[in-house]
Amino acid sequence: MSLYSTYVKRSITQNLALRELNKDNVMLFVKRDDLIHQEVSGNKFRKLKYNIEKAKAHNCQTLITYGGAYSNHLLAVAAVGLLENLKTIGVVRGDELNQGSNKLLKRCADLGMQLRFIDRTQYKYKKYCDGVNQTDAESVLHIPEGGANREGILGCRDIITETNNDYDFIFVAQGTCATSIGIYMAMAAKTKLIVVPVLKGFDSVMEMKKLAEKVDVKLDEDRVEVLADYHFGGYAKSSASLNQFVDCFNTQYQFNIEPIYTGKVVFAMQRYLAKVKGNKKALFVHTGGLYNL
């Protein structure tokens, strides 16, 4: 994939000294996947890498994928389709919407993505569509919502293989769990994965187990900790305290976070690490998604 070789070198690992921690025993680093590309952003880039390779291997001319009105995954597929000369179709949750409903959907359309708006009941079943569909007319690759398939998971594994992989904790925001499982596959035996779900009432462990089966991995629950109380009301929900935290962070540090994913995990991480005893080394995976900041 030409996109991968062109952009992935931008993702670096940096020291991150959170002033609020003020603890010398915690060495904190950040994996800057937000630097890879503005629109094929962070973990979205990772989850598309092997999907695009699969599309090319099967001579697919079209990508069909699924997402909500504010889905950075839809935007990433639209952008990568233009870069890789592939037709893209985005199936969007909500038949009351149109391409002018927000700037993300408009940008998807501007990038050449054909948007299809369907009701939520239909969407609930279609969003898992995965794999190559061969017809007499063309070959089409379906990519499920959020890129949560085998190819997406394997792409997220690369996030950690690019580091020195010497961490006691790895922190990541969690949506579909594909990124979490990819990281889990690659992390060192001593590492604990700390996940922060952005969905309210989300059963992280059950969803992770289901996705782990796609890559023939057995999830050891002792190596995963779920910080379930930092969703701030659910997906795309926020609060005054979170918004203030994100704004303050973005004025003090060398990179930005946002309130949907990365702001929630940094908020939770700060509180978690403040309680850590002994000398520890931690990594925050910045999964991008700054388009709507």
Side-chain angles (χ1 to χ4, degrees), residues 4 12 30 34 89 101 124 141-142 145 172-173 178 184 204 251 253 257 276 286:
Y4 184 81
I12 58 177
V30 55
D34 59 306
I89 298 172
S101 292
K124 190 182 298 183
L141 178 67
H142 289 263
E145 181 183 62
V172 68
Y184 177 86
S204 289
T251 61
Y253 294 97
I257 55 177
V276 164
H286 195 311

Coordinates of all heavy atoms in Angstrom, one line a residue, residues 4 12 30 34 89 101 124 141-142 145 172-173 178 184 204 251 253 257 276 286:
Y4 N 0.7 3.6 3.0 CA 1.4 3.2 4.3 C 2.8 3.6 4.2 O 3.3 4.2 5.2 CB 1.3 1.7 4.4 CG 1.8 1.2 5.7 CD1 1.1 1.2 6.9 CD2 3.1 0.7 5.8 CE1 1.7 0.8 8.1 CE2 3.7 0.2 6.9 CZ 2.9 0.3 8.1 OH 3.5 -0.1 9.3
I12 N 5.6 8.9 15.6 CA 6.8 8.7 16.4 C 6.3 8.5 17.9 O 5.1 8.7 18.2 CB 7.6 10.0 16.3 CG1 6.8 11.3 16.7 CG2 8.2 10.2 14.9 CD1 7.6 12.6 16.7
V30 N 4.0 9.0 24.5 CA 2.8 9.0 23.6 C 3.2 8.5 22.2 O 4.2 8.9 21.7 CB 2.2 10.4 23.6 CG1 3.2 11.5 23.2 CG2 1.0 10.5 22.6
D34 N -1.6 10.4 15.5 CA -2.3 11.5 15.0 C -1.5 12.2 13.9 O -2.1 13.0 13.1 CB -2.6 12.5 16.1 CG -1.4 13.0 16.8 OD1 -0.6 12.1 17.3 OD2 -1.2 14.2 16.9
I89 N -18.2 3.9 -1.2 CA -19.6 4.1 -0.8 C -19.7 4.0 0.7 O -19.2 3.1 1.3 CB -20.5 3.0 -1.4 CG1 -20.4 3.0 -3.0 CG2 -22.0 3.1 -0.9 CD1 -21.1 1.9 -3.7
S101 N -25.6 17.5 6.3 CA -26.0 17.5 7.7 C -24.9 18.0 8.6 O -25.1 18.6 9.7 CB -26.5 16.1 8.2 OG -27.7 15.8 7.6
K124 N -28.3 -1.5 11.8 CA -27.9 -2.4 12.9 C -27.4 -3.8 12.4 O -26.5 -4.4 12.9 CB -29.0 -2.6 13.9 CG -28.7 -3.3 15.2 CD -29.9 -3.5 16.1 CE -30.5 -2.2 16.5 NZ -31.7 -2.4 17.4
L141 N -15.3 -4.7 -2.0 CA -14.8 -5.0 -0.6 C -15.7 -4.3 0.4 O -15.8 -3.1 0.4 CB -13.4 -4.7 -0.3 CG -12.9 -5.0 1.1 CD1 -12.8 -6.5 1.3 CD2 -11.5 -4.4 1.4
H142 N -16.4 -5.1 1.3 CA -17.1 -4.5 2.4 C -16.2 -4.5 3.6 O -15.5 -5.4 4.0 CB -18.3 -5.4 2.7 CG -19.4 -5.3 1.7 ND1 -20.5 -4.5 1.8 CD2 -19.6 -6.0 0.5 CE1 -21.3 -4.7 0.8 NE2 -20.8 -5.6 0.0
E145 N -18.3 -1.5 10.1 CA -18.2 -0.3 10.9 C -16.9 -0.2 11.7 O -16.5 -1.1 12.4 CB -19.4 -0.2 11.9 CG -19.5 1.0 12.7 CD -20.6 1.0 13.7 OE1 -20.6 0.1 14.6 OE2 -21.5 1.8 13.6
V172 N -5.5 3.3 25.9 CA -6.1 3.6 24.6 C -7.6 3.8 24.8 O -8.2 3.1 25.6 CB -5.8 2.5 23.6 CG1 -6.5 1.2 24.0 CG2 -6.2 2.9 22.2
A173 N -8.2 4.7 24.0 CA -9.6 4.9 24.0 C -10.2 3.7 23.2 O -9.6 3.1 22.3 CB -10.0 6.2 23.3
A178 N -11.3 -3.0 18.0 CA -10.4 -3.5 17.0 C -8.9 -3.0 17.4 O -8.0 -3.8 17.4 CB -10.7 -3.1 15.6
Y184 N -3.3 -5.5 22.1 CA -3.2 -6.7 23.0 C -2.3 -7.8 22.3 O -1.5 -8.4 23.0 CB -4.5 -7.2 23.3 CG -4.5 -8.4 24.2 CD1 -4.5 -8.3 25.5 CD2 -4.6 -9.7 23.6 CE1 -4.5 -9.5 26.3 CE2 -4.6 -10.8 24.4 CZ -4.5 -10.7 25.8 OH -4.5 -11.9 26.5
S204 N -17.0 -4.1 27.5 CA -15.7 -4.1 26.8 C -15.1 -5.5 26.7 O -14.7 -6.0 25.6 CB -14.7 -3.3 27.6 OG -15.0 -1.9 27.4
T251 N -3.8 23.9 25.2 CA -3.0 25.1 25.3 C -1.6 24.8 26.0 O -0.7 25.7 25.8 CB -3.7 26.2 26.1 OG1 -4.0 25.7 27.4 CG2 -5.0 26.5 25.4
Y253 N 0.2 21.6 25.8 CA 1.1 20.5 25.3 C 1.3 20.6 23.8 O 0.6 21.4 23.1 CB 0.5 19.2 25.7 CG 0.5 19.0 27.2 CD1 -0.6 19.2 28.0 CD2 1.6 18.5 27.9 CE1 -0.6 19.1 29.4 CE2 1.7 18.4 29.2 CZ 0.6 18.6 30.0 OH 0.6 18.5 31.3
I257 N -5.8 17.0 21.8 CA -6.8 15.9 22.0 C -8.2 16.4 21.7 O -8.3 17.6 21.5 CB -6.6 15.3 23.4 CG1 -6.8 16.4 24.5 CG2 -5.3 14.6 23.6 CD1 -6.8 15.9 25.9
V276 N -0.5 5.1 40.9 CA 0.5 4.1 40.7 C 1.6 4.1 41.7 O 2.2 5.2 41.9 CB 1.0 4.1 39.2 CG1 2.2 3.3 39.0 CG2 -0.1 3.7 38.3
H286 N -2.1 7.7 20.9 CA -3.0 8.8 20.3 C -3.6 8.3 19.0 O -2.9 8.1 18.0 CB -2.1 10.1 20.1 CG -3.0 11.3 19.8 ND1 -4.0 11.3 19.0 CD2 -2.9 12.5 20.4 CE1 -4.5 12.5 19.0 NE2 -3.9 13.3 19.8

